[in-house]
Amino acid sequence: MYHLECIECGKKYQKTDIVYTCECGGLLDVIYDYLSIKIDMERLKTETPSVWKYRELLPIEQEPVSINEGGTPLYKCDRLAEKIGIKELYVKHEGMNPTGSFKDRGMTVGVSKAIELGMKTVACASTGNTSASLAIYGAKAGIPAIVLLPEGKVALGKVAQALMHGAKVLSIRGNFDDALVLVRKLCDEEKLFYLLNSINPYRLEGQKTIGFEIVDQLGFRVPDRVILPVGNAGNVTAIYKGFKEFMKLGITDSVPKMVGIQTAGSPPIVNAIKSGADDITPVLNPETVATAIRIGNPVNARKALRAIRESNGTAETVTDEELIQAQKDLAQLEGIGVEPASATSVAGLKKLIDTGVIGRDEIVVCITTGHLLKDPEEVIDVCAEPIVVDATIEAIRESVFSD
Ligand code: F0G
């Protein structure tokens, strides 16, 4: 049993309504009748994590469109912890989802909902990962997917996925924020397609399972902090909702402080948190090597600001140089390959430890949202080139042992 509810005016909508935001313009949340939800604790404590392990807390009644999303590893990262100067650090690697990003958690629910509602075509604007994920779930469901990308600004691996899985890929002359305005009009006003950006509250329901899994994988402990990159600001909101729901159901008794990281070139949420503002001021020309979060006007800002504040969390910026260093540290100290945006979580942790905002004895989970192979061009830019040598023992010996 669930319905949609506006976070601003409280207006309720039925689960059969095709609606993305409230009449008042407010964002919608999926609200369950928590008293009627019965969790089988024995199953919860023994079954391997995956999105659909938690189906009692997901708003889908039919067989879902699924390709085994979720159940991503939570690595204990002692070498990285030592470098940063913290006692207990975990990295939840969402790059290990089917398309290599956390978006699959949202799309398995979002596309399943599209099918339940009888929608014929699904659409999104994207900095890349959402489009890859929509393409693959559209393919699995057998319905067309339309994706709007900012021209020339999407990492190669993501475009490759959207193309190969058969989405209709449209490159917009404009940035992500422009593409999102456009797709919202196409879906909400023109009613041409079903909108699967994270303003659709069903997507966030899938993504909240990251929170469930962290608790599950820590042996039903709640970490002190969860740190993650913030772009359109859906994921930070979703994960916090997951932690809150586990508390509401009596499975846990606390929530972590939520920490959102943005880049110095694209910081609307950080600006609002630091200035105490109720809403963001859009950043007009966001720029960063972390193209996934090159977003100036995050649609879920009002939800995200609440999640960060209510949890006593914070938000911080990192520079492109800092996130590239963190990307290399993750790769070379822990064997975790992530795309640039994902590394902001670790770069942010380092900055907040160095400035004393986060204590060295806190238990911290950093979320790495997308896989290294999403953005191979950035890797080539920031790493040394391969060394070309003659095909002889001597040449290799000389090259390896010369310095
Ligand atoms: N990390 C990665 C790798 C992303 O692709 C995104 C968002 C985020 C973090 C930020 O998550 O938007 O929920 O705050 N990518 C979207 C896309 C915008 O189109 O793929 P958020």
Side-chain angles (χ1 to χ4, degrees):
M1 286 269 285
Y2 63 90
H3 64 272
L4 300 175
E5 201 168 301
C6 174
I7 68 159
E8 306 291 348
C9 74
K11 186 174 163 67
K12 294 185 170 65
Y13 294 86
Q14 301 300 312
K15 59 185 181 183
T16 46
D17 292 339
I18 295 162
V19 55
Y20 309 104
T21 49
C22 182
E23 301 176 338
C24 78
L27 297 167
L28 300 174
D29 245 349
V30 180
I31 306 289
Y32 300 83
D33 175 9
Y34 292 99
L35 291 176
S36 74
I37 294 175
K38 299 269 172 294
I39 302 288
D40 176 348
M41 285 307 291
E42 185 54 32
R43 188 173 75 79
L44 190 65
K45 295 212 159 158
T46 49
E47 195 175 305
T48 310
S50 73
V51 167
W52 296 102
K53 173 178 177 180
Y54 313 101
R55 72 181 300 162
E56 292 99 326
L57 287 163
L58 293 173
I60 298 296
E61 280 137 303
Q62 299 178 356
E63 196 49 37
V65 181
S66 170
I67 42 172
N68 294 346
E69 44 291 314
T72 56
L74 181 76
Y75 297 117
K76 186 153 188 289
C77 292
D78 293 339
R79 296 184 71 207
L80 188 58
E82 194 182 332
K83 175 161 184 188
I84 292 174
I86 183 170
K87 248 176 32 204
E88 200 171 340
L89 171 62
Y90 298 86
V91 169
K92 177 113 176 111
H93 192 15
E94 286 295 297
M96 302 300 274
N97 273 295
T99 71
S101 89
F102 70 96
K103 304 288 180 180
D104 299 344
R105 294 180 187 266
M107 283 305 173
T108 182
V109 174
V111 172
S112 299
K113 180 52 72 181
I115 301 295
E116 270 190 8
L117 290 170
M119 305 308 288
K120 299 283 178 260
T121 307
V122 286
C124 71
S126 181
T127 56
N129 282 322
T130 301
S131 70
S133 196
L134 187 65
I136 207 171
Y137 285 90
K140 181 76 181 172
I143 56 170
I146 317 289
V147 306
L148 276 56
L149 307 179
E151 187 190 17
K153 293 291 182 183
V154 179
L156 203 58
K158 306 174 188 181
V159 183
Q161 289 176 298
L163 290 170
M164 180 51 96
H165 290 293
K168 176 117 190 157
V169 180
L170 304 172
S171 275
I172 303 299
R173 294 190 190 93
N175 64 21
F176 168 81
D177 298 304
D178 301 323
L180 186 56
V181 168
L182 206 57
V183 79
R184 284 182 68 181
K185 285 192 179 139
L186 290 166
C187 296
D188 215 2
E189 290 169 22
E190 308 286 321
K191 312 238 181 279
L192 290 177
F193 320 119
Y194 187 61
L195 180 63
L196 277 171
N197 278 99
S198 58
I199 198 160
N200 182 324
Y202 293 115
R203 269 236 355 238
L204 300 186
E205 289 304 292
Q207 290 171 211
K208 78 184 176 186
T209 59
I210 295 175
F212 298 160
E213 284 189 12
I214 289 172
V215 170
D216 200 328
Q217 290 169 312
L218 285 176
F220 291 85
R221 283 189 306 159
V222 177
D224 297 312
R225 303 248 177 192
V226 171
I227 310 182
L228 71 156
V230 170
N232 227 4
N235 211 25
V236 66
T237 313
I239 296 172
Y240 182 59
K241 186 170 190 276
F243 283 113
K244 272 199 2 186
E245 286 183 348
F246 259 21
M247 192 164 74
K248 228 177 247 172
L249 292 165
I251 296 167
T252 53
D253 56 13
S254 64
V255 293
K257 296 186 174 87
M258 301 300 298
V259 180
I261 309 295
Q262 296 191 300
T263 62
S266 183
I269 297 281
V270 180
N271 291 346
I273 289 290
K274 291 201 171 178
S275 70
D278 271 355
D279 208 343
I280 55 144
T281 305
V283 170
L284 283 186
N285 293 304
E287 206 40 85
T288 167
V289 67
T291 53
I293 53 171
R294 188 174 171 274
I295 295 175
N297 191 10
V299 287
N300 287 300
R302 298 268 299 172
K303 280 184 176 175
L305 294 175
R306 285 187 193 188
I308 291 169
R309 288 186 173 128
E310 194 180 290
S311 72
N312 289 316
T314 190
E316 189 51 272
T317 57
V318 295
T319 63
D320 281 359
E321 292 71 31
E322 287 167 334
L323 75 88
I324 290 165
Q325 185 56 51
Q327 187 187 26
K328 290 182 176 173
D329 287 345
L330 275 160
Q332 294 168 17
L333 296 174
E334 297 292 348
I336 301 174
V338 306
E339 68 166 284
S342 305
T344 60
S345 56
V346 169
L349 169 64
K350 181 173 186 313
K351 184 167 174 185
L352 292 167
I353 289 278
D354 290 347
T355 51
V357 175
I358 297 183
R360 296 184 188 279
D361 55 356
E362 291 189 34
I363 299 171
V364 173
V365 174
C366 285
I367 297 172
T368 54
T369 43
H371 198 277
L372 175 82
L373 294 175
K374 290 283 192 171
D375 194 350
E377 289 169 306
E378 181 265 352
V379 177
I380 302 298
D381 283 347
V382 303
C383 292
E385 277 179 34
I387 306 158
V388 180
V389 294
D390 288 338
T392 64
I393 301 284
E394 298 75 48
I396 291 168
R397 197 191 285 275
E398 193 184 320
S399 172
V400 174
F401 296 112
S402 63
D403 47 41

